[in-house]
Amino acid sequence: MNPTELPHRTVAIVRGSDRQAALRTVVTLAEEGITCAEVSLTTTDALWVIRQARRELGPGAHLGAGTVLTAADAAKAADAGAGFLVTPGLGNDLREAMPLELPTLIGALTPSEVVAAHECGALAVKLFPASLGGPSYLRALRDPFPAIPFVPVGGVDARAARAFLAAGAVAVGAGTPLVGDAAHGGDLAALRRRVAHWRSALAEEVTA
């Protein structure tokens, strides 16, 4: 998986309390062109959602597991069909298990954490929570780390996504601003409208 080649350079973050709704959300996102999604392991029956989504979307879909905290989480997610992993940080258990079987976006915020994630073989550094420092903080990090790919996550709406991409992010992760309440049983028509707005808002920046 190459984050720079993702459609709309977006990783949708699906986190919900209803497993059927979470599954429908992943599938709907793919139908509407957001074809890379991570299912947070905090989602109700998250591994079931990943398995079912993999069956529906096929082996080539960019389908991952998020909120991976331990090596056991990683192994279970891989067994369920996840093609990549996303962590909020890097605890000792994950650090000792690196490199993991699957490409991994490792969460980091400070320069020391960025170095640790990179040394552990992160596919990209998940800058989290991105809203804390904003695009200006990403620019500051890229001065000492120009070769490290960053994917900002946390409070990233369409406007912020454009700004982060302009600041040098290879992609962005979007949860509530994009997915809304769909994974909790919310209106899928509203989800489709949000996706259309998202795609339109990012089109100029992504193709620039």
Side-chain angles (χ1 to χ4, degrees):
M1 183 177 104
N2 184 344
T4 63
E5 297 177 356
L6 295 176
H8 314 291
R9 286 165 64 182
T10 299
V11 181
I13 301 166
V14 176
R15 178 183 289 107
S17 56
D18 181 319
R19 71 177 194 172
Q20 291 287 353
L23 174 60
R24 290 193 298 269
T25 297
V26 174
V27 173
T28 300
L29 286 164
E31 291 172 348
E32 297 300 313
I34 303 296
T35 57
C36 181
E38 65 166 272
V39 177
S40 170
L41 294 185
T42 61
T43 295
T44 299
D45 293 333
L47 297 177
W48 178 90
V49 174
I50 293 170
R51 284 194 185 91
Q52 294 302 118
R54 177 60 72 196
R55 288 172 183 164
E56 293 203 27
L57 299 178
H62 294 302
L63 178 64
T67 324
V68 174
L69 299 175
T70 67
D73 287 342
K76 291 175 184 177
D79 184 64
F84 66 94
L85 306 172
V86 184
T87 84
L90 186 60
N92 287 335
D93 184 68
L94 275 177
R95 190 190 304 268
E96 291 171 4
M98 290 294 181
L100 296 174
E101 176 183 351
L102 298 176
T104 304
L105 280 67
I106 299 176
L109 181 63
T110 69
S112 293
E113 291 169 350
V114 170
V115 170
H118 180 64
E119 289 179 344
C120 283
L123 172 69
V125 171
K126 169 186 167 179
L127 183 61
F128 178 78
S131 58
L132 193 61
S136 62
Y137 183 61
L138 173 60
R139 287 191 184 92
L141 283 176
R142 292 192 69 243
D143 283 342
F145 305 120
I148 293 180
F150 288 92
V151 179
V153 177
V156 179
D157 59 14
R159 182 176 180 180
R162 285 184 55 133
F164 276 118
L165 292 173
V170 297
V172 296
T176 300
L178 175 61
V179 177
D181 64 353
H184 298 288
D187 184 6
L188 290 182
L191 172 61
R192 294 181 192 276
R193 290 192 294 271
R194 284 191 299 274
V195 172
H197 170 72
W198 184 274
R199 292 179 59 182
S200 177
L202 266 63
E204 180 179 342
E205 185 60 48
V206 170
T207 57

